[in-house]
Amino acid sequence: MSAPESGRDASGTRRRAVRTVTVVACCLAVLAVAVVAGVRVLGSEPTVTLLANWTGRDARYFRQAVIEPFERENHIRVDYQGSSAESQVLSADVETGTPPDVVVLTGPGELADYAGRQRLEPLEGLIRREDFSESWATPLNGHVYWFPLKADLKSIVWYPARTRPGTLREVARRPGQWCLGMGSGATSGWPGTDWIEDILLQQYGPGTYESWARGRLPWQSRQVKRAWTTWGRLVGAGGPDDLVRRALKTEYQKASELVTTDPPQCTLEHQASFIRDLGPWKKADGRYTPSARLIPGATADGAWEVSGDLVALLRATPQAEKLIRHLASAGAQRAWSAKESGFSVHAGAQPSAGDGGAEWHLSLARTLLDPDAVHCFDASDAMPPQVRDAFAQATIDFLADPGERHLDELLKNLDTLSSPESLTWLSSVCDHGT
């Protein structure tokens, strides 16, 4: 039996109403999506990608002091990636065709390799050459490809304020008194390279150091071999198992924790100026002395090893070029060095007392900027990447087994790795003073 006529009319009315509501709802949904998409397009900001090695607290400081002011002023978002294995991350990104726009690396040797493969953009027109000396913004094939954002002084030894300076030589002769940590993730071993580089510089001077750092002095030379054996005797390579094991297993940031134990388990640390910002040396009221006063056979006077965080451009987008100009400015460099324990070597960024006006900070800054001093860039950082990495690993192997035959094998291998003509070596690593 069919439904009454009035029932069919009511049912049809309801169906039309439902269809109307459904259509309106769909239109509103589409409109909402369109509005949201429109807002995203209208509200989007240009982005620049930046890769550096600062993580944790350092990354937060960097963002607060340097990145956020740039973002506010230029309305450009900085997509920052911090990695302790940035060399590996950068290499992978370059190989896959997705490099960051801007990178901050500690190694001019690594940057020279990328420049040689035409992966870097020249910085002419983006930075002022007079703001940085050639020892920091080193020309390569007629172009400048990097400049320093932050610098550190090496060739120094830290000790607690309670230690009498007159006893340092005696303390330095006892291997167990050296705080040494070789661990650093993918870059483990670099504290050992710092030691050997500095010993060579202090024993034979900038000329020999530069020849070696530029691939012109063999690893098997008597000068280089002497630097290795000097380091081995100082830190007790191959000595008591607990001493060597401790050094090999300890991360470099934690080596100084033994200074504050009761009783202290070490007294001296051969490390760059940035180490003063770590808690243990603050607690111990750390002081420093030039390493030349404690290295056996040191003859160099006024020669210092230095290092830096170097900025380079991989993709020359408008926003990336703006970021380069910002990072090269005196204001950004002062802001970062005020937050960090490092220093700016920008001609317009004078050293500040920092750390509550501590004299040690000013003293380090004056030495770093002294025009009469000789500053030599960290040799392993200046070497081609494969040589640098093999050098770091060799220091770990040597610390465990410093035997002469083993050392000869390590040095021979490093000579072999350094020999290919395809490697890119820097034209200079020392500024030689005035």
Side-chain angles (χ1 to χ4, degrees):
M1 183 172 62
S2 61
E5 190 68 28
S6 59
R8 289 197 299 270
D9 290 345
S11 177
T13 300
R14 285 195 298 272
R15 285 195 296 271
R16 287 194 295 273
V18 169
R19 284 198 299 270
T20 301
V21 170
T22 302
V23 170
V24 171
C26 290
C27 290
L28 290 175
V30 171
L31 180 61
V33 171
V35 170
V36 171
V39 169
R40 285 175 179 169
V41 171
L42 294 174
S44 64
E45 293 180 327
T47 299
V48 55
T49 55
L50 171 62
L51 172 66
N53 65 355
W54 300 303
T55 59
R57 185 196 64 174
D58 291 337
R60 291 193 296 273
Y61 281 176
F62 182 59
R63 174 163 289 282
Q64 293 168 4
V66 180
I67 293 179
E68 290 178 0
F70 170 80
E71 291 178 324
R72 287 193 298 268
E73 180 178 347
N74 295 279
H75 304 289
I76 295 173
R77 187 174 72 87
V78 177
D79 183 3
Y80 174 77
Q81 179 181 5
S83 173
S84 59
E86 63 170 334
S87 292
Q88 292 78 9
V89 171
L90 179 61
S91 177
D93 288 348
V94 168
E95 290 304 315
T96 58
T98 57
D101 299 322
V102 178
V103 67
V104 184
L105 286 173
T106 58
E110 188 171 357
L111 291 173
D113 179 67
Y114 282 115
R117 291 188 280 142
Q118 299 183 333
R119 300 289 192 175
L120 299 185
E121 299 288 341
L123 299 180
E124 287 86 47
L126 298 179
I127 67 171
R128 301 195 320 160
R129 292 288 294 272
E130 60 268 29
D131 287 340
F132 304 100
S133 69
E134 287 193 358
S135 60
W136 292 102
T138 308
L140 185 69
N141 299 326
H143 296 286
V144 171
Y145 291 99
W146 59 80
F147 64 91
L149 179 59
K150 181 177 78 74
D152 282 295
L153 185 69
K154 298 193 172 185
S155 298
I156 51 181
V157 173
W158 294 96
Y159 64 93
R162 64 175 181 272
T163 308
R164 289 178 297 161
T167 67
L168 293 180
R169 286 180 180 271
E170 177 186 349
V171 174
R173 289 196 292 266
R174 304 202 298 268
Q177 290 301 306
W178 287 100
C179 310
L180 178 61
M182 297 287 282
S184 184
T187 60
S188 292
W190 69 258
T193 68
D194 276 8
W195 257 114
I196 294 165
E197 294 158 4
D198 192 25
I199 291 171
L200 183 70
L201 176 62
Q202 303 308 329
Q203 288 183 337
Y204 293 101
T208 298
Y209 179 95
E210 185 163 51
S211 293
W212 170 62
R214 295 178 58 197
R216 297 184 175 186
L217 179 68
W219 290 84
Q220 296 174 87
S221 67
R222 62 177 180 82
Q223 298 98 321
V224 176
K225 186 173 182 179
R226 182 190 177 197
W228 283 76
T229 56
T230 299
W231 177 55
R233 287 193 298 271
L234 275 170
V235 300
D241 288 344
D242 59 336
L243 187 64
V244 174
R245 193 181 303 113
R246 185 177 73 190
L248 293 176
K249 290 186 174 182
T250 300
E251 295 291 314
Y252 79 92
Q253 308 99 316
K254 297 182 178 180
S256 55
E257 291 179 356
L258 299 178
V259 172
T260 59
T261 59
D262 187 17
Q265 297 182 52
C266 63
T267 305
L268 308 175
E269 185 171 16
H270 179 273
Q271 191 54 273
S273 52
F274 73 85
I275 206 73
R276 176 58 176 78
D277 195 44
L278 297 185
W281 281 118
K282 285 187 173 182
K283 184 177 179 180
D285 190 13
R287 311 296 172 87
Y288 78 92
T289 188
S291 60
R293 297 177 183 175
L294 303 180
I295 290 176
T299 60
D301 184 20
W304 301 86
E305 186 180 9
V306 298
S307 64
D309 295 307
L310 307 175
V311 182
L313 178 65
L314 286 92
R315 297 200 322 131
T317 66
Q319 53 266 33
E321 291 180 345
K322 284 187 177 182
L323 180 60
I324 289 289
R325 291 190 180 96
H326 174 70
L327 297 177
S329 69
Q333 300 232 341
R334 276 196 298 264
W336 180 223
S337 60
K339 283 281 188 183
E340 257 282 342
S341 56
F343 308 91
S344 170
V345 289
H346 189 291
Q350 296 301 312
S352 60
D355 224 23
E359 177 57 29
W360 68 267
H361 191 280
L362 280 175
S363 177
L364 288 167
R366 294 189 193 105
T367 301
L368 191 62
L369 298 172
D370 183 358
D372 296 322
V374 179
H375 303 103
C376 294
F377 209 93
D378 182 299
S380 58
D381 286 344
M383 294 174 180
Q386 55 268 55
V387 180
R388 173 203 63 196
D389 295 344
F391 182 17
Q393 181 58 48
T395 64
I396 294 175
D397 296 341
F398 173 76
L399 190 61
D401 178 8
E404 184 173 3
R405 179 176 297 181
H406 186 223
L407 176 57
D408 288 341
E409 291 175 356
L410 293 173
L411 298 180
K412 182 179 179 180
N413 181 56
L414 288 167
D415 270 329
T416 300
L417 289 172
S418 303
S419 61
E421 295 183 0
S422 59
L423 297 181
T424 302
W425 297 85
L426 297 184
S427 59
S428 174
V429 297
C430 298
D431 58 18
H432 300 289
T434 57

